[in-house]
Amino acid sequence: MKLKKLFTPTIIILSVLLCVLAYFAYAFEFFTFSTDASGYTIVENNESDGFYFTYSNNDIILNSDNANTRIYALTVDGVAEMTQANLSALNENYLGSFIATIPEQTSDLNQDGNKETLYSYAKTDMEFTQGYRPAAPEFDNQLMPFEVIFTDRTTISLIFNGEVLANQTVTVYSERSGQAEYTSNEAGEITDLPILDIRSGILVTYFENDTTVYQMHYQVEDNTLLTSRYISALSPFFLILTLSVLGIILCLILRRRILLKDPIMSRFLAGNRKVGTNGLLKSQNRFGFMNIRWLIMISSFFLLVFGGKLLGTWYQNLEIPIFSCPINQDQLIGSSCYTLSHLNTLFDMTWTEILIFVGSFLASLIILGRVICGFLCPMGFIQDIYDWIRRKLKIQGLFFDEKIYQRITPIKWGMLLIFLVLCFVGGNFCDICPAITLSPAFAGFKLSLYLSGFMMVFVLITGFFKRRFFCTICPLGYLMGLFHKISLFKLKKDCQACTECGACYEACPMGIKSIYTERKKKDVTSSDCIMCGACVDKCPENNALYMTFCGIPFYRASRKTFMSGYQKNERKLKRQIKKRNKHDK
Amino acid sequence: MINKKLTPSEERQRQRFIEKSSRVSAKYLRRLTELKGAPDTLKPFIDVLENIYVNMDGPHFNTKKPLIGTYCVMVPQELIYAAGGQPIKLCSGSYTAFSIGDDLVPRDACPLIKAVMGYQTMCVMPIYDDCSMMIVPITCDCKKKMAGMLKDLVNTYSFHIPTSKEDDTDLDQIVNELYELIPALESVTGQSITHKSLSESLDQVGFAQYQMTRFNEFKKNQPALIKGTHAMAVMNASSYMPINDFSEKLYLLNQELAKRKKSKVFVSQKKEPRLMVTGSPIIFPNIKIPLLIEEMGGSLVADETCMGERSLYDPAVVVDQSFDGMMRALANRYTRPCTCPTFVNNDQRIFRIKQMIKDHQVEGVIYHVLRGCLVYDFEYQMLEEELGKLNVPIIRVESDYNEEDIEQLRIRIEAFIELIKLKDLQKK
Ligand code: SF4
Ligand code: SF4
Ligand code: SF4
């Protein structure tokens, strides 16, 4: 009794604590990658043609056919020339940007018959310099008047003599798509160059006038898959996995100890009724909608994480509200979670950008709604995997009743508050967001984690015991749920056919009770519903529950489907009877 | 069995009882088989009833499993099977036992209780006497007091049912009740319930329900493929059969019905009014009402009674295959969809009946009330109102466990059937 009274205050304290923690999220280091070049070496390769950098594991290779090549590095003390002595031992003083120069040459690049003076440079940026950061590293313009800087995944900036190169046309040759002309904007930025082209290495040529040409080969360290550095990029994720497993085991032990004191339950702990003596209840498993949902979730995960690499990044202009971290620059589709959690960036956006953001947000709400949660979101996917493992191990889960759901809402509000407001008070939601640990790591981005890492461990442990726990407090899902009325996907009910068996309520990961108690309305979609279809799958009454898109039903509950697993048993019985009849004759 | 030595007069009384009881049962069994259109595969079910009620044998099957007697529909048979027991439903419909029980319980108690107490004190029915334990769900007042009386005679377990089921805590309560039932069962059977045995029994009962689903589909056919009285006999027999046996026999019956459907062999004509019964349980040999309906030219196409379709209708939906998950599934299955009027709020029964009217194309509802069965009587009013809106005629018939009211029942049912026929004519 006493415990119950403490519940609500604890939750409120927790959610306040969460807000405070979120503000200081950056102070909780979970896993940090080195943000310097130590461990890397620069190797000179004089054999090959051309003049460019490449990468091979921890080697930065400078390919050059010119004997007078010089290499410079950006260090904490400014630009330094690399000598034989420091080439092989980069240390933390190096900031990860390198250039190489060769003496000026002459060549007729534009083929107008006159030779021009050609200044060539090669530049590379290591991975940790990329991505969202306030300012990209910039070199000395004495050394190299023309510079290309990879600002973020949609932008490269051009600098000439220390000034931005506005409204100029340059030729860009990329390994991936060949030659094309691009014009920079007022701010000296080129924004329409596909990121995959940039990754493949680009050669930017700028004609200052008819007699002077600048050329820069620019290579960013690519996050190649399936190399040792890919594994190292995944290491924080593995750490999270390990911690979550440890946490789960700890919880199991604790629960056992508590339950052993319970007069009824202790009996069931004594025997090995938990893991192990597995009975098989196959007949209620059948191939159906839920398997299709798994397939969609798996493909969505891979598409989101690696899709950009395969299909190009054009789709990233679309931003759907999903917890699939857009810091992974390879995502197929952008996620509006970044903009939503950094609403202050709206002030810096152009009207078209805002329009696209709002437009694609609304479009996703209308067309998909929380189907995104049930079918697409990687966070939901990983929670479902944990839940699936628990079911396979036949470990008892937690059933939340309506009261608990009600009581944990303060946490949900806390999360929403953090999500929307943190950016205005100087925090960064990304430092607490658990989704950041997933997509970027799988795509091979080395990302240091702060409170997010701990959050993810928490999400996984709770997700193991209570299906989709995080989704019940997810701010993005909550936001989407507010608009469920305008979504085209709907969950409907034939209130007369329903027997109030409560199977749907038991099956619902979001604990929506109204689907089973509702006796009047046809539309039982609620703001918490993630459209996962579990309720329809488990409903044994014909047509009692069904899902519609634009009013067209596409998945209905049916006794026949529900019981179809027993056809196996029937065939077995048929064989038995036949055999017996033969025997009798 | 009988412990005390009987005096000669008692012995004579006992003999008379046996004779009379089996004579009545045999008579109804005969009427049941004489009713036209019985499928061949119905025989095993009839045999079961004959064995139990006419021959007064032990359960028809060969089992060394301890018998566990249950009442009502809320005791999970899956648990009993999982513990290695054989559940058997003891709610009784015997007129002879009723007349004995009449002296044991108050006059206004329902006849079902009287019949049970009658059998229990006479010690003539092996299915009662061989029970190692009886599980009585505490549902209506009569059952509650019955549990108290049985306690002195046999090993009785009171299974507490919450009076309402709206709150989640009510379900938790049932789950706890089930957990507490386990040790009691295990101590009787000497076997323990394991994850394996429970999932197996869930599977077996689930399969029986699958066959029931097929059977119900056939019952929806118009014109009818099987007489409703026969269907009710099947359900009655299921109370005394091991579940696998029942599934197998029902499977064969289904096969025959499938054949009938294919070759268009029907047991009713198109113009026969399609009726359903609902209300107090109809238990063999008290099957006078379904018999009367079908003998008077009605077609009984559905029943919403707890010894009929309801007992095996709702499947246990296992969402989570942990042991606890299965226990929750059982708790859910045996209470939430249960349309027993003993719950405070039972609107769902009206929805269920309306849905059955739709599914089975029912034209009239016969509401059966056993004298003294208050809870069912309470629900008549509301149902009448609701069905009035649908323009489906309904009639309330009250009966007792004797044959004195047959004539009166006959007249009322006949009039009701005529009324529906007339309505049909008017429509045309
Ligand atoms: S509610 Fe769950 S599935 Fe939906 S966005 Fe949030 S984490 Fe993803
Ligand atoms: S109501 Fe149904 S579809 Fe919605 S979350 Fe619950 S189980 Fe999934
Ligand atoms: S599972 Fe179907 S029949 Fe059962 S309560 Fe839910 S909607 Fe009603």
Side-chain angles (χ1 to χ4, degrees), chain A residues 493-494 497-505 515-517 519 535-536 538-541 544-545 557, chain B residues 317 337:
Chain A
K493 176 168 174 179
D494 175 349
C498 169
T499 58
E500 278 182 42
C501 71
C504 48
Y505 177 42
I515 43 172
Y516 119 79
T517 50
R519 279 298 195 184
C535 52
V536 188
K538 289 292 180 200
C539 175
E541 293 308 316
L545 284 175
Chain B
V317 181

Side-chain angles (χ1 to χ4, degrees), chain B residues 127-339:
Chain B
I127 53 167
Y128 286 86
D129 300 335
D130 294 351
C131 272
S132 314
M133 176 162 90
M134 288 192 186
I135 305 175
V136 188
I138 305 302
T139 48
C140 60
D141 285 351
C142 289
K143 284 272 159 61
K144 188 189 284 170
K145 297 315 286 179
M146 184 184 87
M149 290 175 78
L150 282 177
K151 260 209 173 82
D152 302 332
L153 302 169
V154 278
N155 177 11
T156 308
Y157 184 94
S158 310
F159 183 66
H160 296 277
I161 305 282
T163 47
S164 77
K165 48 193 174 180
E166 267 109 80
D167 285 340
D168 287 354
T169 39
D170 296 328
L171 189 82
D172 291 343
Q173 192 189 330
I174 293 274
V175 176
N176 270 339
E177 283 292 328
L178 289 186
Y179 270 113
E180 281 178 37
L181 178 60
I182 290 179
L185 277 174
E186 288 176 343
S187 68
V188 168
T189 61
Q191 281 181 39
S192 57
I193 296 180
T194 62
H195 188 285
K196 190 152 176 277
S197 71
L198 186 56
S199 52
E200 272 167 12
S201 68
L202 267 163
D203 206 30
Q204 287 164 359
V205 177
F207 181 57
Q209 290 181 310
Y210 170 71
Q211 293 300 342
M212 270 301 297
T213 306
R214 285 187 62 201
F215 187 59
N216 285 340
E217 281 308 310
F218 289 127
K219 272 168 52 182
K220 287 178 192 164
N221 205 57
Q222 188 175 22
L225 291 168
I226 182 168
K227 290 269 187 203
T229 318
H230 291 149
M232 290 193 87
V234 169
M235 292 318 297
N236 264 300
S238 79
S239 315
Y240 317 109
M241 294 167 84
I243 197 77
N244 288 341
D245 205 23
F246 175 70
S247 313
E248 186 184 325
K249 301 286 149 48
L250 189 57
Y251 162 75
L252 293 173
L253 179 57
N254 279 337
Q255 296 302 87
E256 186 173 348
L257 293 185
K259 254 185 234 143
R260 277 189 176 184
K261 188 172 178 180
K262 226 178 179 180
S263 47
K264 299 207 164 43
V265 179
F266 302 120
V267 296
S268 75
Q269 271 105 45
K270 258 243 144 72
K271 56 182 195 310
E272 273 179 23
R274 292 170 70 87
L275 304 179
M276 79 178 267
V277 277
T278 177
S280 307
I282 291 174
I283 310 161
F284 188 84
N286 177 34
I287 52 168
K288 56 189 174 193
I289 289 181
L291 272 175
L292 276 176
I293 294 172
E294 300 208 290
E295 285 168 357
M296 308 304 321
S299 175
L300 180 61
V301 290
D303 72 275
E304 200 275 330
T305 60
C306 48
M307 276 302 261
E309 213 182 291
R310 190 192 299 158
S311 61
L312 276 172
Y313 180 77
D314 298 294
V317 181
V318 181
V319 172
D320 185 326
Q321 288 205 5
S322 61
F323 189 77
D324 192 60
M326 293 195 286
M327 292 296 275
R328 282 187 71 92
L330 286 179
N332 232 331
R333 174 251 185 273
Y334 281 95
T335 48
R336 274 187 175 149
C338 182
T339 47

Side-chain angles (χ1 to χ4, degrees), chain A residues 347-417:
Chain A
F347 300 120
D348 306 332
M349 283 189 184
T350 61
W351 280 110
T352 28
E353 280 173 319
I354 293 178
L355 228 80
I356 289 180
F357 162 68
V358 175
S360 52
F361 183 60
L362 280 180
S364 335
L365 284 179
I366 293 174
I367 299 170
L368 293 168
R370 285 195 85 175
V371 169
I372 293 172
C373 299
F375 286 79
L376 305 177
C377 180
M379 283 295 285
F381 176 56
I382 193 158
Q383 289 181 79
D384 274 354
I385 293 179
Y386 264 58
D387 177 72
W388 181 81
I389 294 173
R390 178 182 64 75
R391 278 161 204 255
K392 281 288 151 201
L393 295 176
K394 308 216 159 74
I395 294 171
Q396 175 180 339
L398 288 180
F399 285 90
F400 279 18
D401 63 20
E402 42 187 343
K403 288 207 188 86
I404 300 189
Y405 278 111
Q406 246 170 37
R407 281 177 169 153
I408 58 174
T409 32
I411 297 197
K412 186 151 80 178
W413 295 332
M415 287 291 282
L416 189 69
L417 192 76

Side-chain angles (χ1 to χ4, degrees), chain A residues 418-488:
Chain A
I418 299 169
F419 187 63
L420 293 178
V421 179
L422 199 59
C423 62
F424 294 109
V425 296
N428 182 357
F429 184 76
C430 294
D431 289 333
I432 184 178
C433 176
I436 201 173
T437 61
L438 217 55
S439 173
F442 273 90
F445 288 90
K446 290 181 177 173
L447 219 63
S448 301
L449 301 180
Y450 301 94
L451 195 59
S452 312
F454 298 102
M455 271 298 272
M456 191 61 178
V457 174
F458 172 75
V459 167
L460 291 181
I461 294 176
T462 47
F464 181 82
F465 289 103
K466 160 73 184 77
R467 188 172 166 205
R468 295 248 177 165
F469 176 79
F470 181 71
C471 295
T472 56
I473 58 166
C474 170
L476 197 56
Y478 184 53
L479 216 56
M480 278 191 266
L482 294 179
F483 297 93
H484 76 271
K485 283 243 158 59
I486 59 168
S487 169
L488 294 178

Side-chain angles (χ1 to χ4, degrees), chain A residues 190-205:
Chain A
I190 295 175
T191 49
D192 44 0
L193 191 60
I195 187 177
L196 293 185
D197 289 0
I198 301 175
R199 290 251 183 80
S200 71
I202 48 175
L203 183 67
V204 185
T205 314

